Amino acid sequence: MAPVPRVAGWWTGRSDPQRIALYTRWSYYAALALTPFFAFLVVASSPGPPLFAAVLFLLGSVALTVTLLLLVRAGLRATGPDKRLPTRLLVGAAAAALATVAAGVAAFPDGGEAGSVLPWVVFLAPTMLLIASSAVWPARTLAVGGVVTGVVVGVVLLSAGRPAAEALVFGVLFVLSSTATALSFRFSVWVLDVVTQLERARDVQARLAVAEERLRFARDLHDIMGRNLSTIAVKGQLAAELVRRGRAEAADEVSDISRIAEESLREIRGVVGGYRSASLPGELAGGRSVLRAAGVSCTVSGDEEAALLPAAVQVALGWVVREAVTNVLRHSRATTCTIDLRTACGTGELRVVNDGAVTSADQSWGNGLTGLAERLDAEGGRLTTSADGGTFVLTAALPVQVPT
């Protein structure tokens, strides 16, 4: 029973780009690894080919597979707008493809039984080369490669004495087949690139949302403390001048400085504790704003009840909202988030649900959730979490008596 969660965690613990990259990579590997199998089917379908040439054809397909796997691995690892395939690998793969085609033509000079094998012998290696190259080559280049493959098939059939009409039909057929196959793999790489760019843009959005919140905090701190500190500075200079003149008013100025400093201390504690206030409605509105700025669709319900809760409950649940929003931004790929506040039977319950949760075998809490649980426990409340099918649910409950 133990291996199942490990396999599930191995897959669900990956981001969307990582999953698509894994799928794309192994799609390439699986298709290219079938080259020797297809070559064996060609040999087996036409009894009586020259043994030496047939063996060379099979060995060439194996060598071609190895070079193509190396080529596609290098192509998928290439980054940047001007991605290129390694020249040595590309030349080696092209040489292996030509050698495989030559060995196949030598093994089936007359086209095999009923003349149906020769087109596939010529078609196999170039098409596999186009598939491997599609990790980097654009669609236009792949289309040109498909046309060249079809033309080669037609020319070889004409050289083997096949009718011109048959050579034309096979040529057109293999142009379409080769091009369509290579473009389908190219499409997978394009999807991977798009998803990767979207993930990067989403990460930038989240960082900008956090930066915006920090700027808001800085503005609040400046608005609150700027005036008070300026007043303290002016009154300090005035008190110093009055002391030098021996005026009794200096004591009043010093008292004002002390009073303003105490007010500033209370205000800065309010800023640190809750951005001017620890009101739960403010936290709910701020959380909704930050999530929407990060591209997460956020719905808040029950916020009209938040202002009716006692101050201590608002502070505790405000910390829950702040931590939950932070976790959604930092530890999930959420597209939707729902924050629901309700009171019933003397209990206030805050429920935060988001999709895009990254689940793993280790479901232990981090420092943030552990601290929240301890804070709620001190108030007689509880914190619970659950994750199922990519949905994460955080529930905080506190005993409360709503004033009537």
Side-chain angles (χ1 to χ4, degrees):
M1 300 296 294
V4 175
R6 275 200 290 266
V7 172
W10 171 81
W11 176 255
T12 58
R14 297 174 182 270
S15 64
D16 289 336
Q18 289 174 336
R19 294 179 187 176
I20 295 178
L22 187 66
Y23 168 79
T24 302
R25 184 184 306 114
W26 285 103
S27 296
Y28 271 101
Y29 292 166
L32 297 175
L34 289 175
T35 303
F37 175 72
F38 291 143
F40 176 78
L41 290 181
V42 170
V43 173
S45 64
S46 180
L51 179 61
F52 182 72
V55 171
L56 286 180
F57 177 64
L58 293 175
L59 292 178
S61 67
V62 173
L64 176 63
T65 300
V66 173
T67 56
L68 292 182
L69 290 175
L70 295 175
L71 185 67
V72 75
R73 185 179 68 171
L76 292 175
R77 288 182 175 180
T79 57
D82 55 345
K83 297 188 294 184
R84 295 179 181 275
L85 293 172
T87 303
R88 292 183 179 180
L89 281 177
L90 185 58
V91 171
L98 288 175
T100 304
V101 171
V105 173
F108 307 97
D110 57 350
E113 187 176 357
S116 60
V117 175
L118 186 58
W120 296 98
V121 168
V122 180
F123 167 80
L124 178 62
T127 301
M128 290 301 180
L129 178 60
L130 284 179
I131 290 175
S133 302
S134 66
V136 171
W137 285 0
R140 181 177 298 179
T141 304
L142 295 174
V144 171
V147 171
V148 171
T149 300
V151 169
V152 171
V153 170
V155 170
V156 171
L157 288 177
L158 286 175
S159 302
R162 309 305 301 176
E166 180 182 342
L168 178 62
V169 170
F170 272 107
V172 173
L173 174 63
F174 285 119
V175 165
L176 297 177
S177 301
S178 181
T179 303
T181 303
L183 290 180
S184 66
F185 279 88
R186 180 59 191 166
F187 179 76
S188 298
V189 176
W190 177 79
V191 170
L192 174 61
D193 291 339
V194 170
V195 173
T196 301
Q197 292 174 4
L198 290 176
E199 187 74 5
R200 290 174 181 171
R202 178 184 174 82
D203 182 65
V204 171
Q205 276 188 322
R207 292 177 184 272
L208 289 176
V210 174
E212 181 182 356
E213 190 66 10
R214 288 176 177 173
L215 289 174
R216 186 169 75 90
F217 177 82
R219 287 194 300 268
D220 286 354
L221 188 62
H222 176 271
D223 293 344
I224 290 176
M225 297 303 299
R227 177 181 59 83
N228 290 347
L229 291 177
S230 298
T231 303
I232 289 175
V234 172
K235 285 185 172 291
Q237 294 173 358
L238 177 59
E241 184 64 26
L242 291 175
V243 168
R244 280 194 295 270
R245 296 182 181 183
R247 302 282 297 273
E249 291 88 344
D252 295 334
E253 298 299 331
V254 172
S255 297
D256 284 343
I257 291 174
S258 177
R259 176 182 56 80
I260 295 173
E262 290 177 356
E263 291 178 357
S264 299
L265 181 60
R266 287 194 299 270
E267 289 176 342
I268 199 170
R269 284 173 177 170
V271 171
V272 173
Y275 296 171
R276 295 196 184 197
S277 69
S279 68
L280 184 55
E283 290 297 335
L284 292 172
R288 175 169 47 198
S289 175
V290 169
L291 289 174
R292 288 180 176 177
V296 180
S297 175
C298 180
T299 302
V300 177
S301 60
D303 48 345
E304 65 279 356
E305 301 180 20
L308 302 177
L309 298 176
V313 176
Q314 289 195 40
V315 170
L317 293 182
W319 279 105
V320 174
V321 173
R322 194 175 306 169
E323 179 66 21
V325 170
T326 301
N327 287 341
V328 170
L329 291 175
R330 295 181 58 186
H331 305 302
S332 76
R333 302 185 299 275
T335 58
T336 60
C337 179
T338 302
I339 304 175
D340 180 35
L341 176 67
R342 64 183 64 184
T343 56
C345 301
T347 300
E349 181 179 274
L350 179 70
R351 194 167 183 262
V352 182
V353 183
N354 65 273
D355 62 355
V358 179
T359 58
S360 61
D362 183 10
Q363 298 294 334
S364 58
W365 287 353
N367 293 330
L369 292 180
T370 301
L372 278 182
E374 293 173 352
R375 183 187 296 269
L376 293 177
D377 185 66
E379 300 290 337
R382 68 183 184 278
L383 181 73
T384 59
T385 61
S386 63
D388 183 24
T391 299
F392 187 81
V393 181
L394 182 147
T395 305
L398 272 175
V400 58
Q401 292 182 353
V402 181
T404 59

